[in-house]
Structure formats: structure tokens, C-alpha cells
Amino acid sequence: MADYSEVFVGIDTSKLRNAVAIAEGGRNGEVRYLGELENTEAATSKLVKKLAAQHRRLTICYEAGPTGYGLHRLIRLGHECVVVAPSLIPKKPGDRVKTNRRDALNLAKLLRAGELTAVWVPDARHEAMRDLVRAREAAVDDLKSKRQQVLSLLLRLGRHFTGKRTWTRAHMNWLVSQKLAHREQRIAFEEMLLAVRQADERVIRLERAIAAAVPDWSLAGVVTALMAVRGLDLISATIFLAEIGDLSRFASPRQLMAYLGLVPGEESTGDRVWRGGITKAGNHRARRILVECSWSYRHPPRVGKKKLAKVEAAPPAVQEIAWKAQARLTARYRALARRGKRPTLVVTAIARELSGFIWAVSRAVGAPATPAR
């Protein structure tokens, strides 16, 4: 019984059925395929109870994907369950066969070998907040698409707005004043404008919902603190924390930078050292938010009227970090620009350092630690 006291279970999940394989503990432990079972709570609970009766310890894993974290929440109450990062699963270059059976067997073997990388699993409330901010992101993308349709129609008709910026009040007045020659084009144009207004209202509703949900969120204090940092407001701070989670799980700012994919890639061998562009690993939504916020550091350091109330709402330690970040990053932006660096490269470098200051703000607030799973 001692040889079989521990088993590692790999589950290849899908919409309707899950493929299951186990690897017995020990270097030479048997690896076998158990088959497929329905992707239901009852079937999964039955399997886990059966394996728990046969073995003293179970360690279970499955890939992060569209099936979500329900399986993890079901299993982890009584046994260890790991949700694996799919992009970091070791793969043989010559392996061209992929089936549910092979994937489950491979997961079990790699889990036993300790070669899998776990992702952080949010609780149900945090996942709900993440769904809300992603719904807002989808609404913004939809608004951009519908605005582009309007501008493309007018471009084909040779209509050009002479103002500096589009979609301002002056631009909207110009749009509604357009007279099109054909009735069919006028109908199409009015429908497009209506779609733009509806998409804009949808974005506003979702942003109001985010603002209403933040006070009851476990990371509300961190959101308030991050709003003191230049470039971050309620929406951007909430999006960043909803995507990343509790920042206390990162032991150092370098870990956060690497997680966000803001560190340079490297290929070095012998005396040859080559460093290229950033890795772009991790959460692309959080990285995009940081890059967008970093453009504000091209301006001289200052605290405007609108920002002053947000700064004063933060603790004194956070205010000090926020001003230090503003002074350093604005100087850093100018220094890199003087050296002839492209603006996009400069902003990426600023975003990397900004993530370090965000990490410091989180530590200063003292958010409750959430263990990484």
C-alpha cells in the first residue's frame, strides 16, 4: 500500500466530457488512463471519492481554459488541485499527435515530475468582477468598431471633418448636420449613428456598474490607493486588479514585471548575449492598461484639480509613493526621449517601472494576502 499511497491525476477538460489519467507516486510508478466521464459535479465527485478511498493523497490538475474554475472549487475543498498554465506545459517538438487520452496522460506525468506551472485562481466574487470589467472592454471594442463604420462611410463619400479631434461635441454636431444625396445612404448613416449612441450608452452603464461594485470588493482599498498614481483612475485601477488579483502574492516587483511580460526576452549562449523585445507573457489586458496609463508621464509632474481629491483620499505613505513615481517616471521619459528612443519603446519602459510602483502601493496599503494556487 505504501507504493500507491500517493497518485497524481491529470484531467483533460472539455465541454461535455473529461478525460482522466493517473500517475502513481514514485519514479517508476505506473501511469494509466482511466477513461472519460461526464463533465458534471456528480460524476466528478464520484471519481474523486473513489480515488480517495484507494489512495492516501490525491493531487489533481487540469489546464486553464474556457471551462473555468468550477472544477477547482469542487475538488480543492478536500484535495489539492492545480490549474495549469497551458502555454507553459512542456511539449516535445516532434510530437504531432494530440488526443484527449494523450493530454490527460501527459498532464499526470508532468504533475508527478513537478514540471507544471500553476495559475492564480480567483474566488467567485473576484471572478465576477473580472467578468464585469471584461464586459466593459468588449463594449469599448464594439464602440470603436461602430465609430469606424461611420467614418469609413463618410470617407467613401468624400466628407472630412476639419476639426482636431473626432467624436467630440463639435464632431457630433457636424455628423448630424450632414446631408446625403440618396435616401438609402441616409438610412444607413442614421442607423450607424444610432448604433454608436447605443454602444456609447452601454459603455457608460457598465462603467457605472463597476463604480457601484468596487466599494464592496475585497480590493476596494487598493483601488482607492492606486487612483492616487498618475494615469490611473477608477476604471483602469479596477481593470488592472481584476485581471492580476491580489498583488501580495508577488514577493518582489521584478516578479510582477515578469508576470506582466514587460521584461526583455533573452537568448544567450557562451559569450554571446542577445536581448530582444519584451516577452509579452502573462495577462495582456493588464499590460495594455499599464501601457495606456504610461503615456501620461510624457507631461511634467503635477497634481491637477481632478486628481487632487483622489490623492488626498489615499494614505500618506501612498501619496509619497505616487509623487515619487511621478517625479521619477516623467524624468525617465524625457531622458529616454532625448536619447532618440522611439515613443513606443519609451512608454513600455515606463510601464515596466510603473508596475513596480503599483506593487509598492499595494504593499503600503497592506491588502490581505491571498495564497497563490
Side-chain angles (χ1 to χ4, degrees):
M1 183 66 182
D3 295 337
Y4 309 99
S5 61
E6 181 179 15
V7 292
F8 301 87
V9 183
I11 303 178
D12 184 62
T13 60
S14 63
K15 179 181 179 180
L16 300 177
R17 301 184 68 82
N18 295 335
V20 183
I22 66 171
E24 295 175 351
R27 184 171 183 177
N28 299 319
E30 181 185 4
V31 180
R32 62 183 183 274
Y33 180 64
L34 298 183
E36 292 188 349
L37 69 153
E38 293 183 359
N39 188 4
T40 62
E41 182 176 339
T44 303
S45 300
K46 181 178 179 180
L47 172 69
V48 172
K49 290 179 181 178
K50 179 180 178 180
L51 294 176
Q54 298 173 352
H55 307 281
R56 186 172 60 188
R57 180 182 177 188
L58 297 180
T59 304
I60 304 171
C61 75
Y62 70 96
E63 294 183 39
T67 55
Y69 303 110
L71 183 60
H72 175 273
R73 297 187 180 112
L74 173 64
I75 296 174
R76 74 180 179 88
L77 297 177
H79 306 279
E80 182 179 357
C81 183
V82 178
V83 183
V84 180
S87 61
L88 299 179
I89 297 177
K91 296 180 180 179
K92 298 178 181 178
D95 192 355
R96 294 292 185 270
V97 179
K98 184 183 186 320
T99 64
N100 295 342
R101 177 192 180 103
R102 290 170 67 94
D103 288 346
L105 289 169
N106 191 45
L107 284 173
K109 290 186 288 187
L110 291 174
L111 179 63
R112 182 178 64 182
E115 296 293 332
L116 298 177
T117 302
V119 301
W120 179 76
V121 179
D123 57 29
R125 178 71 168 81
H126 190 105
E127 188 177 11
M129 181 63 76
R130 181 182 293 180
D131 290 337
L132 181 59
V133 300
R134 289 184 179 180
R136 185 257 179 194
E137 180 186 21
V140 170
D141 291 340
D142 184 51
L143 175 61
K144 291 178 182 178
S145 175
K146 286 178 168 51
R147 284 178 171 179
Q148 184 59 40
Q149 291 174 7
V150 173
L151 297 180
S152 297
L153 174 62
L154 293 178
L155 180 61
R156 291 195 302 270
L157 300 177
R159 308 292 180 96
H160 306 287
F161 180 61
T162 58
K164 294 183 179 181
R165 295 179 57 190
T166 57
W167 304 109
T168 59
R169 184 181 297 275
H171 182 233
M172 291 299 297
N173 292 334
W174 178 80
L175 287 175
V176 298
S177 66
Q178 295 302 302
K179 304 296 182 182
L180 304 185
H182 300 283
R183 176 177 176 271
E184 294 80 5
Q185 287 180 336
R186 185 67 189 180
I187 294 175
F189 182 64
E190 290 295 340
E191 288 290 343
M192 289 180 181
L193 286 181
L194 176 60
V196 169
R197 289 192 292 269
Q198 291 174 342
D200 190 32
E201 292 171 357
R202 179 186 173 200
V203 172
I204 294 174
R205 288 196 303 270
L206 287 169
E207 290 182 347
R208 289 174 179 171
I210 292 173
V214 165
D216 298 328
W217 192 24
S218 60
L219 298 179
V222 186
V223 172
T224 302
L226 288 182
M227 289 169 60
V229 179
R230 185 177 197 173
L232 290 169
D233 59 5
L234 176 65
I235 300 299
S236 58
T238 304
I239 292 174
F240 182 82
L241 291 176
E243 296 294 340
I244 299 299
D246 190 359
L247 299 179
S248 63
R249 61 195 175 97
F250 298 99
S252 68
R254 290 183 179 273
Q255 289 186 4
L256 178 59
M257 295 173 190
Y259 180 84
L260 291 168
L262 290 170
V263 297
E266 180 176 346
E267 290 186 11
S268 302
T269 177
D271 296 332
R272 176 180 174 274
V273 177
W274 178 88
R275 293 185 177 89
I278 59 174
T279 62
K280 294 185 179 180
N283 192 294
H284 69 277
R285 294 181 178 87
R287 183 172 60 251
R288 177 182 56 80
I289 284 293
L290 276 187
V291 172
E292 289 180 356
C293 295
S294 298
W295 283 104
S296 63
Y297 290 93
R298 67 187 186 274
H299 303 296
R302 64 184 293 269
V303 178
K305 293 182 179 179
K306 294 183 179 180
K307 193 69 175 180
L308 182 60
K310 301 175 183 177
V311 173
E312 293 178 343
V318 173
Q319 296 181 27
E320 182 178 352
I321 294 172
W323 179 250
K324 181 180 178 181
Q326 187 171 172
R328 173 177 171 79
L329 296 182
T330 52
R332 177 74 169 159
Y333 188 99
R334 293 195 300 271
L336 292 174
R338 283 196 299 266
R339 289 166 54 185
K341 299 292 185 180
R342 297 199 308 270
T344 52
L345 293 180
V346 175
V347 168
T348 302
I350 298 301
R352 180 168 55 248
E353 293 197 31
L354 178 59
S355 65
F357 284 106
I358 290 176
W359 179 88
V361 168
S362 175
R363 284 300 178 98
V365 173
T370 301
R373 303 187 183 98

